[in-house]
Short mmCIF file of all heavy atoms in Angstrom, two decimals:
data_model
loop_
_atom_site.label_atom_id
_atom_site.label_comp_id
_atom_site.label_asym_id
_atom_site.label_seq_id
_atom_site.Cartn_x
_atom_site.Cartn_y
_atom_site.Cartn_z
N LEU A 54 -14.48 61.67 -141.92
CA LEU A 54 -15.67 61.08 -141.34
C LEU A 54 -16.40 62.18 -140.57
O LEU A 54 -15.76 62.95 -139.84
CB LEU A 54 -15.29 59.95 -140.39
CG LEU A 54 -14.43 58.85 -140.98
CD1 LEU A 54 -13.82 58.00 -139.88
CD2 LEU A 54 -15.22 58.01 -141.95
N SER A 55 -17.72 62.27 -140.72
CA SER A 55 -18.43 63.34 -140.03
C SER A 55 -19.74 62.84 -139.44
O SER A 55 -20.43 62.01 -140.02
CB SER A 55 -18.66 64.50 -140.99
OG SER A 55 -19.96 64.73 -141.31
N LYS A 56 -20.03 63.38 -138.26
CA LYS A 56 -21.28 63.06 -137.56
C LYS A 56 -21.53 64.14 -136.52
O LYS A 56 -20.58 64.63 -135.90
CB LYS A 56 -21.18 61.69 -136.90
CG LYS A 56 -22.50 61.19 -136.36
CD LYS A 56 -22.41 59.73 -135.96
CE LYS A 56 -23.78 59.24 -135.56
NZ LYS A 56 -23.81 57.81 -135.35
N ASN A 57 -22.77 64.52 -136.35
CA ASN A 57 -23.17 65.47 -135.31
C ASN A 57 -22.41 66.80 -135.36
O ASN A 57 -22.04 67.36 -134.33
CB ASN A 57 -23.04 64.86 -133.92
CG ASN A 57 -23.94 63.65 -133.74
OD1 ASN A 57 -25.02 63.58 -134.32
ND2 ASN A 57 -23.47 62.70 -132.95
N GLY A 58 -22.11 67.29 -136.57
CA GLY A 58 -21.48 68.60 -136.72
C GLY A 58 -19.97 68.64 -136.56
O GLY A 58 -19.37 69.70 -136.52
N TYR A 59 -19.32 67.46 -136.48
CA TYR A 59 -17.87 67.41 -136.36
C TYR A 59 -17.30 66.47 -137.41
O TYR A 59 -17.96 65.52 -137.82
CB TYR A 59 -17.44 66.93 -134.97
CG TYR A 59 -17.72 67.95 -133.91
CD1 TYR A 59 -18.94 67.97 -133.24
CD2 TYR A 59 -16.77 68.91 -133.58
CE1 TYR A 59 -19.20 68.92 -132.27
CE2 TYR A 59 -17.03 69.86 -132.61
CZ TYR A 59 -18.25 69.86 -131.97
OH TYR A 59 -18.50 70.81 -131.01
N ALA A 60 -16.06 66.73 -137.82
CA ALA A 60 -15.39 65.88 -138.80
C ALA A 60 -14.04 65.44 -138.26
O ALA A 60 -13.36 66.18 -137.55
CB ALA A 60 -15.19 66.62 -140.11
N LEU A 61 -13.68 64.22 -138.60
CA LEU A 61 -12.36 63.66 -138.30
C LEU A 61 -11.69 63.40 -139.63
O LEU A 61 -12.28 62.75 -140.51
CB LEU A 61 -12.51 62.36 -137.52
CG LEU A 61 -11.23 61.55 -137.30
CD1 LEU A 61 -10.28 62.31 -136.37
CD2 LEU A 61 -11.55 60.19 -136.73
N ILE A 62 -10.48 63.93 -139.81
CA ILE A 62 -9.76 63.74 -141.07
C ILE A 62 -8.53 62.89 -140.79
O ILE A 62 -7.72 63.21 -139.94
CB ILE A 62 -9.34 65.09 -141.69
CG1 ILE A 62 -10.59 65.93 -141.98
CG2 ILE A 62 -8.52 64.87 -142.94
CD1 ILE A 62 -10.30 67.34 -142.44
N ILE A 63 -8.43 61.78 -141.53
CA ILE A 63 -7.29 60.87 -141.42
C ILE A 63 -6.61 60.86 -142.78
O ILE A 63 -7.26 60.67 -143.81
CB ILE A 63 -7.76 59.44 -141.07
CG1 ILE A 63 -8.58 59.46 -139.78
CG2 ILE A 63 -6.58 58.50 -140.96
CD1 ILE A 63 -9.37 58.20 -139.54
N THR A 64 -5.30 61.08 -142.79
CA THR A 64 -4.60 61.15 -144.07
C THR A 64 -3.23 60.50 -143.98
O THR A 64 -2.65 60.40 -142.90
CB THR A 64 -4.48 62.62 -144.54
OG1 THR A 64 -3.98 62.65 -145.87
CG2 THR A 64 -3.59 63.43 -143.63
N GLY A 65 -2.74 60.05 -145.10
CA GLY A 65 -1.42 59.45 -145.17
C GLY A 65 -0.86 59.55 -146.58
O GLY A 65 -1.61 59.78 -147.54
N LYS A 66 0.45 59.40 -146.69
CA LYS A 66 1.12 59.57 -147.98
C LYS A 66 2.18 58.49 -148.13
O LYS A 66 2.83 58.11 -147.16
CB LYS A 66 1.76 60.94 -148.02
CG LYS A 66 2.21 61.40 -149.38
CD LYS A 66 2.86 62.76 -149.32
CE LYS A 66 1.80 63.83 -149.24
NZ LYS A 66 2.35 65.18 -149.44
N THR A 67 2.36 58.00 -149.36
CA THR A 67 3.38 56.99 -149.65
C THR A 67 3.84 57.14 -151.09
O THR A 67 3.23 57.87 -151.87
CB THR A 67 2.83 55.56 -149.39
OG1 THR A 67 3.90 54.64 -149.49
CG2 THR A 67 1.75 55.19 -150.38
N ASN A 68 4.90 56.42 -151.43
CA ASN A 68 5.33 56.42 -152.83
C ASN A 68 4.49 55.39 -153.60
O ASN A 68 3.79 54.57 -153.02
CB ASN A 68 6.83 56.14 -152.96
CG ASN A 68 7.22 54.79 -152.39
OD1 ASN A 68 6.49 53.82 -152.47
ND2 ASN A 68 8.39 54.75 -151.79
N ARG A 69 4.58 55.42 -154.91
CA ARG A 69 3.76 54.53 -155.74
C ARG A 69 4.07 53.06 -155.50
O ARG A 69 3.18 52.22 -155.52
CB ARG A 69 3.93 54.89 -157.20
CG ARG A 69 3.38 56.26 -157.52
CD ARG A 69 3.70 56.68 -158.93
NE ARG A 69 3.00 55.86 -159.90
CZ ARG A 69 1.99 56.27 -160.63
NH1 ARG A 69 1.55 57.50 -160.49
NH2 ARG A 69 1.41 55.47 -161.50
N ASP A 70 5.32 52.74 -155.25
CA ASP A 70 5.71 51.34 -155.03
C ASP A 70 5.12 50.78 -153.74
O ASP A 70 4.82 49.60 -153.66
CB ASP A 70 7.23 51.19 -155.01
CG ASP A 70 7.86 51.51 -156.36
OD1 ASP A 70 7.18 51.36 -157.39
OD2 ASP A 70 9.03 51.92 -156.38
N GLY A 71 4.97 51.60 -152.74
CA GLY A 71 4.47 51.15 -151.45
C GLY A 71 2.97 51.29 -151.28
O GLY A 71 2.44 50.96 -150.22
N TYR A 72 2.27 51.75 -152.31
CA TYR A 72 0.86 52.06 -152.15
C TYR A 72 -0.01 50.84 -151.84
O TYR A 72 -0.93 50.92 -151.04
CB TYR A 72 0.30 52.78 -153.38
CG TYR A 72 -1.15 53.13 -153.22
CD1 TYR A 72 -1.56 54.02 -152.23
CD2 TYR A 72 -2.12 52.53 -154.01
CE1 TYR A 72 -2.91 54.32 -152.04
CE2 TYR A 72 -3.47 52.83 -153.83
CZ TYR A 72 -3.84 53.72 -152.86
OH TYR A 72 -5.17 54.01 -152.67
N ARG A 73 0.29 49.70 -152.42
CA ARG A 73 -0.55 48.52 -152.19
C ARG A 73 -0.61 48.16 -150.70
O ARG A 73 -1.68 47.95 -150.14
CB ARG A 73 -0.03 47.35 -153.00
CG ARG A 73 -0.85 46.12 -152.85
CD ARG A 73 -0.23 45.00 -153.64
NE ARG A 73 -1.27 44.35 -154.40
CZ ARG A 73 -1.05 43.37 -155.21
NH1 ARG A 73 0.16 42.95 -155.42
NH2 ARG A 73 -2.05 42.80 -155.84
N LYS A 74 0.54 48.13 -150.06
CA LYS A 74 0.60 47.81 -148.62
C LYS A 74 -0.01 48.95 -147.80
O LYS A 74 -0.77 48.73 -146.86
CB LYS A 74 2.04 47.56 -148.20
CG LYS A 74 2.19 47.13 -146.78
CD LYS A 74 3.62 46.79 -146.45
CE LYS A 74 3.75 46.33 -145.02
NZ LYS A 74 5.12 46.00 -144.66
#
Side-chain angles (χ1 to χ4, degrees):
L54 305 165
S55 114
K56 190 169 185 172
N57 298 328
Y59 289 90
L61 172 67
I62 299 173
I63 304 165
T64 189
K66 193 181 281 191
T67 188
N68 61 35
R69 293 173 68 108
D70 294 334
Y72 181 64
R73 182 182 227 178
K74 184 175 181 181

